[in-house]
Amino acid sequence: VLSLRRDKPELGDRIQHGTETFQQLILRLVRIVIRLTPYGVLALMARVVANSNVNDIINLGGFVVASYVGLGVILVLHTIILAVAGLSPKRFYQKIWPVLTFAFTSRSSAAAIPLSVETQVSRLGVSPAIANFAASFGATVGQNGCAGLYPAMLAMMIAPSAGIDPASLSFMSSVVMMAARGVVGIAGVGGGAAFAALVPLSALNLPVALAGLLISVEPLIDMGRTAINVSGSMTAGTVTARVLGQLDRTVFAAADAGNAAAAGEPGEAAGAAASIQQ
C-alpha cells in the first residue's frame, strides 16, 4: 500500500479512506454490542445459576474459594504493575469495570475483545494498534487465570494422589514450565481452561480423569478466570502504551471519557477515537 501510495497518491488515499471507513463500521458495531450487553449478561447469569448443583458446589467450595484467592493475588499483581508504570489503578479499574463484568458473565475472553478494544481506545487513551494487539493476543496467549493459575492449581491438588510431593521445587518448576507452554493457542471461550489443564497434567503423568471432579463448579470458577484474563490483557495494553509514549494521559485521567461510548453516542465516541489516532 505504501509503494502504491508513492506511485499513485490518489489510490493510496482511497485505500486509507476505505480502511478508516471500515474501522468506523467496527466501532459502530461495538457500540451496538455495548447497548445490548445488559440483556445478554442477565441471560448468561440466569443460565449459570440454573445449571449449578448446590450440593456439588458446597462439597467443592474449598477449591472455589482457593481459586478466587489465587485470582485475587493476580489482580493485586496487575495493580502493582499499573502503579509501577505511574498509572492510577483506581482510575484504571473504574473505567474497565464494564468490560470485566461482561467477561465475568460471558466466560469468554474472545467475546470481550471488541469491548476491550473500544474501552482501551476511548476510555484509557491507548493507541488503536496497541489496543487491538493486546486484546487479541491476550485472549489466546495471555490468559493469566485460565492457563496460568488453573492448571497449576489442578496439578498441585492431584499430585498427592500420584505419590508426588507438590511442595518440591522440581515439581513446581515443571508445573510452571508446562503451564507456560500449554497456554499457547488455547481458545478464549468458556471452558477453555479445562483444555489448557490437560497439557501440563499429561506432561507430568498425572491422572487427567481427576480433573473431571470439578466439572460441577467449573462455570463458577471460569467466570472469575475470564475476568482476570481480560484484566491482564488490558493491563498489558495500557502499560505498553505508557512505556512507548502512545498513551493519551488526558483521556486516561478524564473521569467521564468513556461515557459517550457506554451510552451509545456515536459522535463523541468516534471523535475521541479519531483524536487518539491523530
Side-chain angles (χ1 to χ4, degrees):
V1 172
L2 294 175
S3 177
L4 178 62
R5 190 173 185 178
R6 285 194 299 266
D7 297 336
K8 296 181 179 181
E10 67 281 358
L11 292 180
D13 292 338
R14 292 180 185 177
I15 295 175
Q16 181 178 356
H17 179 71
T19 303
E20 293 174 351
T21 301
F22 184 73
Q23 182 181 16
Q24 292 302 319
L25 174 63
I26 296 299
L27 290 176
R28 180 58 60 86
L29 291 175
V30 169
R31 283 191 289 272
I32 293 175
V33 172
I34 293 175
R35 295 191 191 105
L36 296 176
T37 294
Y39 305 101
V41 167
L42 176 62
L44 290 169
M45 292 179 65
R47 186 184 66 176
V48 171
V49 173
N51 293 336
S52 299
N53 188 305
V54 178
N55 293 329
D56 292 339
I57 294 174
I58 294 175
N59 294 334
L60 297 174
F63 187 83
V64 175
V65 172
S67 297
Y68 275 92
V69 170
L71 295 175
V73 172
I74 297 178
L75 193 63
V76 171
L77 293 177
H78 294 170
T79 302
I80 294 175
I81 292 173
L82 289 166
V84 171
L87 300 172
S88 170
K90 180 180 179 181
R91 180 57 53 86
F92 175 80
Y93 285 110
Q94 283 177 342
K95 294 195 172 189
I96 73 168
W97 182 254
V99 188
L100 298 184
T101 303
F102 177 78
F104 185 85
T105 52
S106 66
R107 296 172 53 207
S108 174
S109 301
I113 289 178
L115 190 57
S116 174
V117 173
E118 172 75 4
T119 301
Q120 289 186 67
V121 173
S122 64
R123 307 197 69 179
L124 297 176
V126 179
S127 66
I130 294 178
N132 280 277
F133 183 82
S136 57
F137 198 72
T140 55
V141 175
Q143 297 186 13
N144 300 164
C146 288
L149 175 71
Y150 188 67
M153 288 191 64
L154 279 182
M156 298 293 285
M157 183 184 71
I158 296 175
S161 65
I164 300 175
D165 181 12
S168 64
L169 183 60
S170 59
F171 177 75
M172 289 190 290
S173 301
S174 300
V175 170
V176 172
M177 185 180 301
M178 291 298 104
R181 292 181 179 181
V183 65
V184 180
I186 298 299
V189 297
F195 297 97
L198 295 180
V199 176
L201 292 180
S202 301
L204 296 171
N205 295 321
L206 296 176
V208 179
L210 293 180
L213 298 175
L214 301 173
I215 293 298
S216 58
V217 294
E218 171 72 16
L220 295 178
I221 304 174
D222 196 32
M223 296 166 79
R225 291 194 307 248
T226 306
I228 294 300
N229 293 343
V230 175
S231 173
S233 65
M234 298 185 74
T235 299
T238 305
V239 172
T240 300
R242 170 73 174 87
V243 173
L244 297 180
Q246 299 187 38
L247 179 69
D248 191 330
R249 297 297 294 270
T250 303
V251 175
F252 182 89
D256 57 349
N259 289 346
E265 299 175 9
E268 296 183 18
S275 65
I276 295 173
Q277 290 176 342
Q278 293 173 0

